[in-house]
Amino acid sequence: MAKRASSTPLVFAHYMLIMQPKDGDYTQDINLAKEAGIDAFAVNYGGWNVDWTQQEGYLRKFYQTAEALDFHLFLSIDTTSVKDPNMIINLSNTYSSSSAQLKVDGKIMLSSFQTDPPAWNWKTDVTDKINAPVTLLPGSLSDDAAALFSGDIPGDGPFPWIHTAKTADQEHSLDVSLASHRDSSGKKWMAAIAPWFFTRLSSDKNWSQAQDDSIFIDRWLSLLSLKPDFIEIVTWNDWSESSYIGPTDSAAPGTGDVYWAGLEHGPFRAMSKALTKAFKAGGETVTVDEADEGVYMFYRLQPASTLGSSDTLPLPTDATSLKDEVFVVTLLSEPAEVTLKSGDAAPVTWSAPAGLQKTSHKWSLGVQTVQAKRGDKTIADKTGPAIVGQLDKYDGNVVAL
């Protein structure tokens, strides 16, 4: 049986600091995260075309707001843009005494997003020079579990990102290996989980993901049994890669180069609430309180293999791994009758059990509706936007309701 190195399992969400909330106010995001059972934001410090003075101001305000709202933050250094370890040292020293600074085992939390190992040594060049003890969980895109837990890797354990080109079974096999090496090494393991991935910014960044609907709910259930020390939802607000669970009114997504990012993903946050409770309780199944009941569906707005009428790019990588289906997730305190109506197809009705269930249904073009009833009580009645045969531009994102 998997055994955590940390006695307190926590759930985080990766927050892109460069993507600012509406009016620069973090209050809504913090309150929504708290409502979903998220313990802290991992603040991605860095990004593209960064104005560092501006980033410092953003971070200062973020910590001030978190202090006022009794919430926690920690730095996740984006090593694709942060090149000076002194920047990490200075930022860590600035916020180490903040009441909003997350601490694990009495040590300030520090993590990173990195595509390759940075030029510095995390221990000698960074953590040894910070004015407080540090729990360091550096990020990685590696799929070598043994190497990630080897003594050559500095820190308290790894934070492997989602591998979008892997199938769900391949990702699960890697997770099993990570759990095993965590158990034998005594180090910590922070697992990543995402609601979706899709981007289409250029010929060099034009990809979907090979795990399809298994990337979120199925992965959550797998991680409940493998028991990582921490789970980080990636992300709260990366509109460009369709991995967000935050509110789409936080900025101005869905326009310009990221035309796909205006689709609602808030229900993924709602689904996480019961799963987060189970994870923190050490459970491997999900028990749903009546107050947390919900019925949700998510789907793409177009067939996976149909280019847009004005497209200039080819199909995204892994688009052929995606099913043209509507996915329904039920979180119920007691069984209920659920009905899905997809376009002009005949309605499909089934009895959903208490707890968590995800079902898949072949779609028909047109409006999508889902209803759930228990006797005379209506639990859900939702209508989503129409699925069409072709859009102007290819959209591999999903809408969630």
Side-chain angles (χ1 to χ4, degrees), residues 203-373:
S203 58
D204 296 326
K205 193 167 184 179
N206 176 31
W207 43 265
S208 185
Q209 48 88 13
Q211 299 180 37
D212 199 13
D213 59 298
S214 297
I215 197 170
F216 192 60
I217 294 296
D218 299 66
R219 180 163 173 77
W220 256 116
L221 293 173
S222 172
L223 292 177
L224 289 184
S225 64
L226 294 175
K227 299 184 180 354
D229 297 86
F230 313 108
I231 290 177
E232 185 168 317
I233 300 171
V234 294
T235 64
W236 184 264
N237 61 338
D238 192 342
W239 319 114
S240 68
E241 294 189 354
S242 309
S243 60
Y244 54 93
I245 64 167
T248 54
D249 66 349
S250 286
T255 59
D257 291 341
V258 288
Y259 59 87
W260 56 84
L263 297 180
E264 179 63 49
H265 278 198
F268 289 119
R269 188 175 65 247
M271 294 178 215
S272 295
K273 187 174 182 180
L275 288 153
T276 295
K277 285 183 179 179
F279 173 68
K280 293 179 182 181
E284 298 185 11
T285 58
V286 178
T287 300
V288 181
D289 298 329
E290 186 174 358
D292 295 334
E293 280 197 314
V295 175
Y296 310 96
M297 62 177 170
F298 63 98
Y299 55 91
R300 296 183 327 281
L301 299 180
Q302 62 146 87
S305 298
T306 302
L307 286 172
S309 58
S310 64
D311 265 322
T312 58
L313 295 174
L315 284 174
T317 303
D318 291 317
T320 55
S321 299
L322 306 176
K323 301 183 291 292
D324 290 339
E325 296 180 350
V326 177
F327 309 105
V328 179
V329 177
T330 55
L331 284 158
L332 300 171
S333 61
E334 300 177 40
E337 294 295 306
V338 180
T339 299
L340 175 71
K341 179 73 167 66
S342 181
D344 293 332
V348 177
T349 299
W350 68 98
S351 180
L356 170 64
Q357 182 189 62
K358 178 173 71 70
T359 57
S360 305
H361 309 269
K362 191 72 177 176
W363 76 31
S364 292
L365 300 183
V367 171
Q368 312 296 306
T369 63
V370 65
Q371 296 177 327
K373 290 188 174 183

Side-chain angles (χ1 to χ4, degrees), residues 31-337:
N31 286 334
L32 288 173
K34 291 171 72 173
E35 182 181 325
I38 293 169
D39 298 290
F41 281 136
V43 183
N44 189 98
Y45 195 83
W48 48 96
N49 301 321
V50 180
D51 179 328
W52 294 111
T53 300
Q54 188 180 60
Q55 282 263 295
E56 289 177 15
Y58 292 161
L59 188 64
R60 186 182 312 114
K61 185 173 181 180
F62 209 167
Y63 266 91
Q64 290 170 345
T65 307
E67 288 172 351
L69 296 174
D70 192 26
F71 192 64
H72 292 103
L73 310 174
F74 64 93
L75 290 169
S76 182
I77 303 300
D78 189 334
T79 65
T80 65
S81 55
V82 175
K83 301 302 180 182
D84 182 3
N86 290 312
M87 181 182 291
I88 309 169
I89 296 165
N90 293 335
L91 290 171
S92 298
N93 287 342
T94 297
Y95 295 105
S96 63
S97 60
S98 168
S99 62
Q101 173 61 51
L102 180 72
K103 294 183 178 180
V104 172
D105 300 331
K107 305 174 184 180
I108 66 170
M109 182 78 154
L110 178 64
S111 187
S112 66
F113 171 80
Q114 52 195 58
T115 55
D116 296 296
W120 59 78
N121 179 287
W122 275 108
K123 183 179 189 306
T124 59
D125 297 330
V126 180
T127 59
D128 283 353
K129 298 179 180 180
I130 293 174
N131 64 10
V134 177
T135 295
L136 173 65
L137 296 172
S140 178
L141 296 181
S142 172
D143 61 0
D144 187 336
L148 286 170
F149 282 97
S150 75
D152 296 332
I153 303 296
D156 297 275
F159 169 41
W161 201 259
I162 295 288
H163 303 87
T164 57
K166 288 186 180 295
T167 66
D169 286 343
Q170 290 169 337
E171 191 84 78
H172 174 72
S173 294
L174 174 58
D175 287 335
V176 170
S177 184
L178 287 164
S180 176
H181 284 284
R182 183 271 311 272
D183 295 348
S184 61
S185 70
K187 289 190 172 185
K188 302 180 191 300
W189 165 37
M190 181 156 70
I193 193 166
W196 199 254
F197 274 111
F198 163 75
T199 190
R200 197 167 170 81
L201 290 172
S202 67
S203 58
D204 296 326
K205 193 167 184 179
N206 176 31
W207 43 265
S208 185
Q209 48 88 13
Q211 299 180 37
D212 199 13
D213 59 298
S214 297
I215 197 170
F216 192 60
I217 294 296
D218 299 66
R219 180 163 173 77
W220 256 116
L221 293 173
S222 172
L223 292 177
L224 289 184
S225 64
L226 294 175
K227 299 184 180 354
D229 297 86
F230 313 108
I231 290 177
E232 185 168 317
I233 300 171
V234 294
T235 64
W236 184 264
N237 61 338
D238 192 342
W239 319 114
S240 68
E241 294 189 354
S242 309
S243 60
Y244 54 93
I245 64 167
T248 54
D249 66 349
S250 286
T255 59
D257 291 341
V258 288
Y259 59 87
W260 56 84
L263 297 180
E264 179 63 49
H265 278 198
F268 289 119
R269 188 175 65 247
M271 294 178 215
S272 295
K273 187 174 182 180
L275 288 153
T276 295
K277 285 183 179 179
F279 173 68
K280 293 179 182 181
E284 298 185 11
T285 58
V286 178
T287 300
V288 181
D289 298 329
E290 186 174 358
D292 295 334
E293 280 197 314
V295 175
Y296 310 96
M297 62 177 170
F298 63 98
Y299 55 91
R300 296 183 327 281
L301 299 180
Q302 62 146 87
S305 298
T306 302
L307 286 172
S309 58
S310 64
D311 265 322
T312 58
L313 295 174
L315 284 174
T317 303
D318 291 317
T320 55
S321 299
L322 306 176
K323 301 183 291 292
D324 290 339
E325 296 180 350
V326 177
F327 309 105
V328 179
V329 177
T330 55
L331 284 158
L332 300 171
S333 61
E334 300 177 40
E337 294 295 306

